[in-house]
């Protein structure tokens, strides 16, 4: 049986657990996996109705908006706006073409009705307050998680991380809607014609992936996905790619799938690699994957999986290859001038001392190295610009020569 992720599911609103127990569980998940599911079975943080509305907006934005209107909102070096098919390359060292996706990045909203960037008429002004409110709720949840991470690592004060993420201060925080075109099966001639037209359709069985292997740039990321839509994989400590189910076991009947939280590079910086910034990617699904499996689950948090004809692991029940794939990510960053200094935590200090004693620069433990999570830069903004320049090389080169 093909392996699946064993990322734990945590209910941060569980009445039977103390706050300190929840904080410790979150910290241990971040140390071991770099990812954790946050169960979303109540209206306390982000109601399912808000998430559903956000995905409805995505469809208006990507399918209901003309390319001409989206181009008027093209992404700039401030990392806000629309990026078209193949314009971003998340794994520039290994990808032969850019990512098979579109994205729209929303920056801050000075007021609920006032965006800080150009938006297409399909969503602005009618839906601008909705976007602003969803962004605010995501940021509020991130502040809560950052405080819990501080408690779980016994940071003094526990608000150390959260304090640097004041929404009133300028930062690289972005709400990103993503659209992956549906996979199509076609003849070689048709595939060549589609590629020549650059229409974004994705040929099944190709060697390219939808979003290249990468780690996230900021502190924490919230990821929202739709049931039945496969693709996300994480790189384990044993250097193996495994799928991450949308709805792990026990959450199938929740109002919406759990929110998937992952640690970004900046929390790895702060904690000397104790919290793990895990490399992940989005792969093409395959219609050869089986929608049912007689095998038992391998983990309390993971449905059963199989391996399709292309060697990619698939999750039972996540076999929607004919529809577009949508996801929404909230990338939470500290204020741009935040210095990435030592965290006031004895646990972090002991980890850093032990790692230096071993003479290793490994991130999250032995086995997998993440070069971007090694301490290289001084401020949050410097790190973000380094990563954006690598992902949008053509955009930055054009800006410099203009």
């Amino acid at each position: 049986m093909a392996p699946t992720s064993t990322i734990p599911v945590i209910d941060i609103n569980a009445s039977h657990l103390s706050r300190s127990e929840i904080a410790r569980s979150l910290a241990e998940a971040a140390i071991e996996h770099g990812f954790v599911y946050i169960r979303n079975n109540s209206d306390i943080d982000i109601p399912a109705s808000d998430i559903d509305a956000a995905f409805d907006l995505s469809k208006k934005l990507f399918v209901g908006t003309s390319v001409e209107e989206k181009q008027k909102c093209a992404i700039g070096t401030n990392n806000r706006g629309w990026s078209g098919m193949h314009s971003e390359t998340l794994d520039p060292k290994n990808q032969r073409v850019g990512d098979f996706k579109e994205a729209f990045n929303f920056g801050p909203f000075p007021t609920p009705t006032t965006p800080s960037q150009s938006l297409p008429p399909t969503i602005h002004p009618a839906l601008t307050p909705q976007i602003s409110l969803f962004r605010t709720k995501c940021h509020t949840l991130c502040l809560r998680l950052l405080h819990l991470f501080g408690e779980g690592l016994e940071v003094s004060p526990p608000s150390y991380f959260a304090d640097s993420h004041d929404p009133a201060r300028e930062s690289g925080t972005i709400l990103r809607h993503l659209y992956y075109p549906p996979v199509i099966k076609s003849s070689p001639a048709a595939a060549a014609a589609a590629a020549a037209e650059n229409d974004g359709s994705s040929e099944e069985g190709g060697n390219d992936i939808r979003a290249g292997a990468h780690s996230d740039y900021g502190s924490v990321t919230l990821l929202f996905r739709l049931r039945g839509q496969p693709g996300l994989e994480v790189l384990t400590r044993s250097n193996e790619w495994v799928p991450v189910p949308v709805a792990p076991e026990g959450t199938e009947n929740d109002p919406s799938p759990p929110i998937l939280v992952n640690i970004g590079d900046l929390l790895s910086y702060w904690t000397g690699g104790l919290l793990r910034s895990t490399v992940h990617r989005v792969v093409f699904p395959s219609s050869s994957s089986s929608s049912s499996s007689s095998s038992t689950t391998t983990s309390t948090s993971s449905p059963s999986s199989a391996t399709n004809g292309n060697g990619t692991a698939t999750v039972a029940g996540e076999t929607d290859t004919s529809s577009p794939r949508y996801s929404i990510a909230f990338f939470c960053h500290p204020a741009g001038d935040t210095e990435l200094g030592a965290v006031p935590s004895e646990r972090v200090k002991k980890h850093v001392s032990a790692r230096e004693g071993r003479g290793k620069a490994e991130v999250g433990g032995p086995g997998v190295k993440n070069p971007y999570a090694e301490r290289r830069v001084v401020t949050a903004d410097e790190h973000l610009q380094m990563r954006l320049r690598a992902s949008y090389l053509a955009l930055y080169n054009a800006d410099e020569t203009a």
Side-chain angles (χ1 to χ4, degrees):
M1 175 187 295
T4 56
S5 68
T6 55
I7 298 169
V9 181
I10 297 177
D11 186 350
I12 62 174
N13 298 308
S15 58
H16 65 285
L17 296 175
S18 68
R19 182 183 176 93
S20 60
E21 288 175 318
I22 293 171
R24 286 196 298 271
S25 296
L26 282 172
E28 293 307 318
I31 291 169
E32 177 62 26
H33 302 279
F35 277 79
V36 60
Y37 289 103
I38 301 300
R39 195 162 188 180
N40 198 30
N41 56 358
S42 70
D43 289 342
I44 295 176
D45 294 303
I46 305 177
S49 58
D50 288 1
I51 298 171
D52 292 341
F55 278 111
D56 288 341
L57 184 144
S58 277
K59 295 170 185 177
K60 292 184 177 71
L61 182 59
F62 293 113
V63 179
T65 304
S66 68
V67 173
E68 290 75 21
E69 290 292 345
K70 287 185 282 191
Q71 286 175 335
K72 294 177 183 177
C73 308
I75 195 167
T77 53
N78 64 357
N79 199 30
R80 301 170 192 170
W82 175 74
S83 56
M85 200 65 53
H86 307 309
S87 62
E88 182 178 24
T89 307
L90 285 173
D91 187 9
K93 292 184 179 180
N94 297 306
Q95 286 179 254
R96 61 189 178 99
V97 296
D99 294 348
F100 284 87
K101 70 176 190 293
E102 294 181 36
F104 204 105
N105 291 2
F106 295 95
F109 289 75
T111 73
T113 59
T114 309
S116 58
Q117 63 196 89
S118 297
L119 299 179
T122 46
I123 63 171
H124 178 70
L127 298 177
T128 300
Q130 174 189 321
I131 305 167
S132 175
L133 180 60
F134 188 78
R135 195 180 189 278
T136 298
K137 289 184 177 181
C138 287
H139 199 279
T140 300
L141 176 56
C142 284
L143 291 179
R144 185 182 178 194
L145 292 171
L146 287 164
H147 200 288
L148 287 168
F149 283 129
E151 289 186 38
L153 295 179
E154 300 177 1
V155 180
S156 180
S159 62
Y160 179 83
F161 297 131
D163 289 344
S164 66
H165 292 73
D166 183 347
R169 298 170 64 189
E170 187 173 347
S171 76
T173 297
I174 287 292
L175 172 65
R176 169 172 256 205
H177 286 239
L178 293 130
Y179 168 77
Y180 301 84
V183 176
I184 60 172
K185 296 185 72 173
S186 61
S187 66
E197 294 174 6
N198 193 26
D199 67 354
S201 55
S202 306
E203 182 78 7
E204 182 184 344
N207 293 324
D208 296 297
I209 59 176
R210 279 177 153 173
H214 65 286
S215 57
D216 288 352
Y217 309 162
S219 299
V220 293
T221 301
L222 307 180
L223 182 65
F224 304 87
R225 295 181 290 166
L226 292 173
R227 299 185 194 277
Q229 296 193 347
L232 180 65
E233 294 185 339
V234 296
L235 189 63
T236 66
R237 290 177 180 272
S238 58
N239 207 36
E240 183 178 21
W241 288 107
V242 297
V244 181
V246 175
E249 186 177 5
T251 68
E252 300 92 338
N253 297 319
D254 288 354
S256 66
I259 301 168
L260 188 61
V261 178
N262 68 281
I263 301 299
D265 293 340
L266 286 172
L267 271 190
S268 264
Y269 281 3
W270 269 331
T271 60
L274 178 59
L275 297 189
R276 186 172 177 227
S277 180
T278 300
V279 176
H280 50 284
R281 67 183 185 182
V282 179
V283 299
F284 284 114
S286 171
S287 59
S288 63
S289 51
S290 173
S291 60
S292 62
S293 174
S294 59
S295 302
T296 57
T297 59
T298 59
S299 164
T300 57
S301 65
S302 301
S304 57
S305 68
T307 301
N308 63 33
N310 295 329
T312 301
T314 60
V315 178
E318 296 183 8
T319 57
D320 187 354
T321 61
S322 60
S323 302
R325 181 183 188 270
Y326 291 93
S327 65
I328 300 170
F330 183 76
F331 300 104
C332 193
H333 290 247
D337 59 358
T338 300
E339 293 187 357
L340 308 176
V343 176
S345 160
E346 288 302 317
R347 185 172 186 184
V348 173
K349 289 179 182 177
K350 290 179 181 178
H351 169 79
V352 172
S353 296
R355 194 182 69 176
E356 290 176 348
R358 294 192 303 267
K360 297 180 179 179
E362 293 171 336
V363 176
V368 178
K369 292 185 179 181
N370 176 357
Y372 290 112
E374 297 169 15
R375 193 176 302 278
R376 291 184 175 184
V377 295
V378 177
T379 69
D381 261 351
E382 288 172 336
H383 173 265
L384 177 60
Q385 289 305 310
M386 174 184 70
R387 298 296 302 275
L388 291 175
R389 183 176 292 274
S391 293
Y392 295 101
L393 185 61
L395 172 65
Y396 277 80
N397 287 344
D399 187 66
E400 291 171 355
T401 58

